[in-house]
Amino acid sequence: MTLQVQSQISLRPYNSFGVDVRARFFADAHNESDVREALAYAAVEQVPLWVIGGGSNLLLTRDVDALVVRMSSRGLRVLSDDGESVVVEAEAGEVWHPFVLWTLEQGLSGLENLSLIPGTVGAAPMQNIGAYGVEIKDVFAGLTALNRESGELKDFSLDECAFAYRDSLFKQQAGRWVILRVRFKLHRSVSLALHYGPLQQRLQEQGVSEPTALDVSRAVCSIRSEKLPDPAVLGNAGSFFKNPLVSAELAAELKQAYPGLVAYPQADGQVKLAAGWLIEQAGWKGFRDGDAGVHKLQALVLVNYGSASGAQLLALAQRIQADIAKHFRVQLEIEPNLY
Ligand code: FAD
Ligand code: NAP
């Protein structure tokens, strides 16, 4: 027995919104054997098991009557290296940003645009994390997950993960798989994704004309630090809504009514609208109701000024959804995982 289970624990330190709810049971899982022990413990106690990482994509609206298991496994390794392509593997509990820095230190490119995203490696496939034009599907080489029902291990290929915009098989089948370790195919040669305007602009401002992967990482970190609230200072879960995909017809109508509309045509004919722009346009930026609010610098981010409950944050989100539907005929979808 290595699993240390605690009872009636506040989850406030374990979610980046800083929402104060209690978990009936809580434990850290340092390896696969701990996860299996936790499953057995939950079965005996007749409670569900709920796996979390850094808690940076959660909105907790009530006490959690479950065994909450925080993935705390560690380990980084190079699996293969042909001089150009390098496959690296990280344990689920590794913290994402230090992992990205480790790959850059090895002289590898591929993850630089995903710098400074909070959370763990194991949660990254859940919503196919993405930023500045790169998603993990672009560098994904496989993962190993535990099937909670059968207890079997399964290696997933890229195709089997059904990655899509902020989505995956693991999100669709929430609670079925525990992701244990993830593999990435990275490169020694530099092939950078620089098509996002703010990234190009920041590199120019910094006087970098031939950027390395490390330069891109630094530029991403500097933009993010200016624009996004640090959860250690102000509770938040990053973007609270997904950017909506709408028909080309609706996008054209909206563009006529709102010439400043931020819209990006997609390969499939749909158009992605910047949800933050819609929310700002509707007047919500900087709005505050008690301790629940909309961030002053980025309207896509809901914030907890101190003691907002998950229910208060959710109520604010629902008011924004209704208002955006009324103004723009666009339904915003909540991005964080609700409990
Ligand atoms: P958690 O919040 O702990 O969990 C998220 C979900 O994954 C839950 O459903 C949980 O049950 C499940 N889960 C966690 N670990 C495992 C596992 N090992 N096996 C199975 N299921 C698991 N996201 C982006 O995509 N792009 C961004 O640029 C971005 N920027 C952000 C900026 C800020 C300031 C914040 C606060 C959040 C941001 N996010 C972003 C959201 C968040 O950081 C990511 O979704 C991150 O991957 C969540 O990791 P986590 O370990 O905190 O997951
Ligand atoms: P931004 O640069 O102000 O851009 C606004 C939106 O326009 C972004 O959401 C982005 O969509 C889209 N966009 C910008 N340039 C684009 C291009 N060349 N092609 C297609 N779409 C483009 O956004 P931001 O809020 O500061 O965030 C910067 C990046 O970090 C974004 O990629 C964003 O997704 C990511 N981020 C994510 C979270 C989260 O919690 N999920 C939090 C903070 C930042 P996409 O979102 O689809 O990229």
Side-chain angles (χ1 to χ4, degrees):
M1 288 282 284
T2 56
L3 192 74
Q4 305 285 317
V5 181
Q6 298 168 275
S7 300
Q8 295 300 338
I9 286 293
S10 167
L11 290 179
R12 189 171 192 155
Y14 304 117
N15 73 96
S16 63
F17 256 128
V19 164
D20 194 11
V21 298
R22 298 190 89 69
R24 181 142 157 217
F25 300 109
F26 179 88
D28 278 301
H30 298 281
N31 48 45
E32 179 188 332
S33 145
D34 282 354
V35 175
R36 290 184 185 279
E37 219 178 289
L39 281 166
Y41 189 100
V44 169
E45 293 292 338
Q46 297 188 316
V47 290
L49 179 130
W50 191 38
V51 175
I52 63 167
S56 63
N57 206 17
L58 305 178
L59 180 61
L60 305 172
T61 60
R62 58 197 157 97
D63 288 341
V64 181
D65 192 18
L67 167 55
V68 176
V69 169
R70 179 173 63 159
M71 293 304 286
S72 302
S73 49
R74 294 284 187 272
L76 303 174
R77 55 196 78 90
V78 173
L79 294 185
S80 67
D81 183 350
D82 68 7
E84 161 50 19
S85 296
V86 180
V87 176
V88 300
E89 181 177 72
E91 294 295 319
E94 285 287 346
V95 180
W96 179 259
H97 181 61
F99 164 60
V100 172
L101 294 182
W102 177 80
T103 64
L104 293 169
E105 277 160 21
Q106 312 303 305
L108 302 175
S109 77
L111 295 177
E112 52 279 355
N113 293 42
L114 303 176
S115 296
L116 217 57
I117 296 181
T120 54
V121 167
M126 286 296 292
Q127 69 160 16
N128 178 30
I129 56 168
Y132 298 99
V134 173
E135 298 176 334
I136 66 157
K137 73 167 173 44
D138 303 325
V139 284
F140 183 81
L143 65 76
T144 304
L146 175 73
N147 182 327
R148 288 169 44 164
E149 282 147 35
S150 68
E152 284 168 22
L153 292 183
K154 177 171 165 54
D155 285 339
F156 284 85
S157 66
L158 175 63
D159 286 347
E160 289 172 310
C161 294
F163 287 129
Y165 170 62
R166 303 287 188 267
D167 200 12
S168 73
L169 171 91
F170 310 101
K171 191 158 182 179
Q172 294 297 325
Q173 299 185 352
R176 179 159 180 207
W177 300 98
V178 180
I179 296 169
L180 296 176
R181 54 195 73 94
V182 188
R183 295 173 282 284
F184 301 89
K185 189 174 180 182
L186 306 176
H187 294 281
R188 292 206 181 280
S189 62
V190 181
S191 157
L192 302 171
L194 299 175
H195 54 288
Y196 265 43
L199 182 53
Q200 285 175 8
Q201 199 184 323
R202 181 54 51 99
L203 285 163
Q204 264 174 20
E205 285 162 10
Q206 292 175 339
V208 181
S209 53
E210 285 184 29
T212 62
L214 197 55
D215 290 328
V216 172
S217 171
R218 287 193 182 123
V220 167
C221 289
S222 77
I223 305 172
R224 294 182 72 105
S225 315
E226 281 169 18
K227 210 169 167 184
L228 291 167
D230 176 356
V233 179
L234 185 60
N236 75 93
S239 304
F240 200 85
F241 302 102
K242 293 184 187 181
N243 288 321
L245 291 167
V246 301
S247 67
E249 293 74 31
L250 178 56
E253 276 177 46
L254 289 171
K255 190 85 186 166
Q256 216 162 17
Y258 306 94
L261 183 81
V262 179
Y264 296 93
Q266 304 294 290
D268 64 1
Q270 295 190 95
V271 177
K272 180 177 74 179
L273 303 181
W277 187 89
L278 299 176
I279 299 167
E280 182 174 349
Q281 188 71 22
W284 288 96
K285 195 172 182 180
F287 176 86
R288 181 171 175 173
D289 181 8
D291 273 352
V294 179
H295 189 48
K296 289 180 186 137
L297 301 177
Q298 167 53 289
L300 197 47
V301 177
L302 297 196
V303 293
N304 177 5
Y305 284 100
S307 57
S309 67
Q312 285 167 331
L313 287 158
L314 184 58
L316 172 58
Q318 287 164 343
R319 282 176 67 188
I320 294 171
Q321 281 176 312
D323 199 40
I324 297 305
K326 193 178 85 188
H327 267 85
F328 304 105
R329 286 176 290 143
V330 171
Q331 191 55 48
L332 291 181
E333 195 186 327
I334 289 176
E335 185 179 295
N337 300 275
L338 297 184
Y339 184 91

